[in-house]
Amino acid sequence: MIAKVSLVLASASLALASFSSFADDDRYQHFSGQPSKTLEQALFNLANYNAKMAEIMTKDELTPSDMATIHQLSYTLENALQKLDDEVDTLQEVLEEVHLASESLDYDTVKKQGKLYLDTTAKIVKK
């Protein structure tokens, strides 16, 4: 499942890199977007701002106003994706601790870090 999430994040990172090059053009106003200081906040922002973007994307033709709105939304979405990427990086480290601890029969580390891993991924993975 981590591989699937990593693949999605890698694709999103590539898209963000492309957008950053485009957004560096001085013709566009830059926004800070809503912050994503926690994983929960990032997931909330992704869900809400994706819904706003999806609503606009249902149109047959996009207007300049739609493009401006999508541009603004993208800043919050970028913040959320960056936080999610940071969280996945941390999860990979935690899972590696579990992996190594399981090899050395370190029960305490497996229990502690395994719980942290499962609690965090439960926020990301839908059952």
Side-chain angles (χ1 to χ4, degrees):
M1 184 49 101
I2 290 296
K4 191 175 190 181
V5 171
S6 294
L7 179 60
V8 169
L9 291 174
S11 298
S13 295
L14 184 59
L16 288 175
S18 298
F19 182 79
S20 294
S21 298
F22 172 77
D24 285 341
D25 191 323
D26 289 335
R27 295 177 297 165
Y28 300 97
Q29 183 177 357
H30 299 282
F31 302 92
S32 59
Q34 295 298 313
S36 288
K37 294 181 180 178
T38 65
L39 176 58
E40 293 81 6
Q41 191 176 28
L43 293 171
F44 176 85
N45 286 342
L46 276 174
N48 285 302
Y49 283 75
N50 276 353
K52 291 175 184 184
M53 186 173 175
E55 183 178 331
I56 295 169
M57 298 296 290
T58 62
K59 296 179 177 183
D60 290 333
E61 292 187 31
L62 299 176
T63 67
S65 177
D66 293 331
M67 298 299 280
T69 300
I70 289 171
H71 181 76
Q72 281 185 279
L73 294 173
S74 70
Y75 285 93
T76 296
L77 291 167
E78 289 172 352
N79 292 343
L81 288 173
Q82 183 59 58
K83 181 60 178 176
L84 190 56
D85 184 45
D86 294 345
E87 290 288 332
V88 169
D89 288 346
T90 300
L91 278 171
Q92 289 173 321
E93 292 170 12
V94 170
L95 184 58
E96 182 64 13
E97 290 179 38
V98 172
H99 174 94
L100 295 174
S102 70
E103 289 177 345
S104 64
L105 303 176
D106 181 349
Y107 295 96
D108 291 337
T109 298
V110 168
K111 291 287 279 182
K112 179 183 172 194
Q113 295 302 85
K115 180 176 179 358
L116 175 60
Y117 170 81
L118 291 172
D119 289 347
T120 305
T121 57
K123 297 172 186 174
I124 300 170
V125 178
K126 298 287 184 189
K127 293 181 181 182

